Each structure stands twice: as C-alpha cells, then as structure tokens.
Amino acid sequence: MQDWVIVSACPVGEAMRRYITPGCRLVACDAGWRNLQKLGLTPDLVVGDFDSAPPPPGGDTVVLPHVKDDTDTHYAARLAAEQGAKRVTILGALGGARLEHTLANLATGLWLQKQGVDTCLANERSEIRFLLPGHTLTLLPACWQYFSLFPLEGCAEGVCVQGAFYELDNATLTPDFPIGVSNEWAKNRGPVTVRIDKGALAVICTKAD
C-alpha cells in the first residue's frame, strides 16, 4: 500500500480520524492500538516491545525486544519504507509525558523523508512536514493560522518563502535563533511556497490560539 498511517502511544483524539483514509495501511505502535480502539478502529498491524501496554488480543502483531536500536515508531517507519510506502502520516507522536520521544519521532520523520517518503506528523492542533534540498513545499492555509520553519541539520541555506506575510529570499536559518517561528499567510491567503538549497527544515503548520 502506498499510504500508511502509524499511530504511536500518545493519545489520539476524534479529530485525528480525518488522517485515516480508506485503503491506507494502519499500523499501531505499542499502546497505539488502544488509541485506535477508542476510535472504534482496528489496526492492520501492531508492533512494539509492549512496555506501555500489553499486546492486543489476536490480530497481526510483531513483538520487538526491549533492548534494541529502533524505537517502536522507527521500526514501523522502516517497515513502511521497505514495503514501498509513498506517504506516511504519524499520529500520537507529539506531546505526551516524555519529551525525548517527541524528539525521536521528529528524527524518524526526517529519516522517512530522506528515504523519499512524503511524511507528516500530526496532532489536533499542528502538522509537521519535512523539506529537503531540491524540493518545494506548498502550504495551503486550510484551517491553519501560522507556519514555522526550523532547521534540523545545522544551518538551512538558500531558504526562499513566497506568498507569506514575512517572505524570504536566499536566507540562512540557524538552529540557535528561531527567526522562522510564527509566520503567516499573506492577506490574500494564497498558497505559500518554501524551498531550500542546503540543509533540512521542519515545517510546522498550527491552528490559531
């Protein structure tokens, strides 16, 4: 299947159902199967070491060892890439009690994008996408109020932003100065385009406060 939805352990509300489209491959990581159960959904596959929940009764399950290099979510992401996924959406990967897991999930999203997989991390209020050199990301306003750009691998160079309230032309964004935070669409609310020449960006769209 070309479209995968990976559900991690952080709570996933009813609003996230919109990301689970007919025909997608639905994979739960560890306690993620409980999140889907609350939505009345059954995953196609469950993977995990099950340190945050017991394995589900029945179904297709891969039990991972506790001592491993991959997080449960990264294991699912590797599986998606190996099986030819073109688009992956990761839910339940932002927030939660452990900040290090959120950062690990950002790293997983960047890794997937580098494998040529169009990747999105989402919660009820935000979406995170990843931009690499040689590609252009088009942002439509939809329900979003703000978008922010954060470099992920040192400086991001040759950053160009068009159609925004604050536009950029051949700019450099550095990890130690968050100048890319809380930009907005121009008054006409047309598409915003973002591209870079070097580095990698996390592009975050956020609803109004």
Side-chain angles (χ1 to χ4, degrees), residues 125-187:
R125 297 191 53 80
S126 302
E127 282 186 0
I128 302 177
R129 298 184 182 275
F130 301 89
L131 181 61
L132 301 176
H135 300 272
T136 298
L137 187 60
T138 300
L139 306 176
L140 302 176
C143 59
W144 310 119
Q145 180 67 32
Y146 307 105
F147 71 92
S148 301
L149 310 178
F150 292 97
L152 295 175
E153 296 183 319
C155 296
E157 300 177 9
V159 180
C160 295
V161 179
Q162 295 180 323
F165 187 84
Y166 301 104
E167 295 195 329
L168 293 174
D169 181 23
N170 198 31
T172 297
L173 302 186
T174 62
D176 58 356
F177 185 60
I179 194 172
V181 72
S182 298
N183 204 339
E184 298 186 46
W185 280 259
K187 289 184 178 180

Side-chain angles (χ1 to χ4, degrees), residues 73-145:
T73 303
H74 195 81
Y75 178 91
R78 283 201 301 111
L79 197 63
E82 289 168 1
Q83 295 190 12
K86 298 300 183 185
R87 288 170 293 276
V88 170
T89 301
I90 305 178
L91 308 178
L94 305 173
R98 296 183 61 181
L99 177 60
E100 68 269 29
H101 282 181
T102 297
L103 295 176
N105 291 329
L106 286 170
T108 293
L110 178 61
W111 179 86
L112 266 174
Q113 195 73 39
K114 286 185 172 184
Q115 312 314 303
V117 180
D118 184 20
T119 304
C120 172
L121 277 61
N123 63 15
E124 283 81 358
R125 297 191 53 80
S126 302
E127 282 186 0
I128 302 177
R129 298 184 182 275
F130 301 89
L131 181 61
L132 301 176
H135 300 272
T136 298
L137 187 60
T138 300
L139 306 176
L140 302 176
C143 59
W144 310 119
Q145 180 67 32

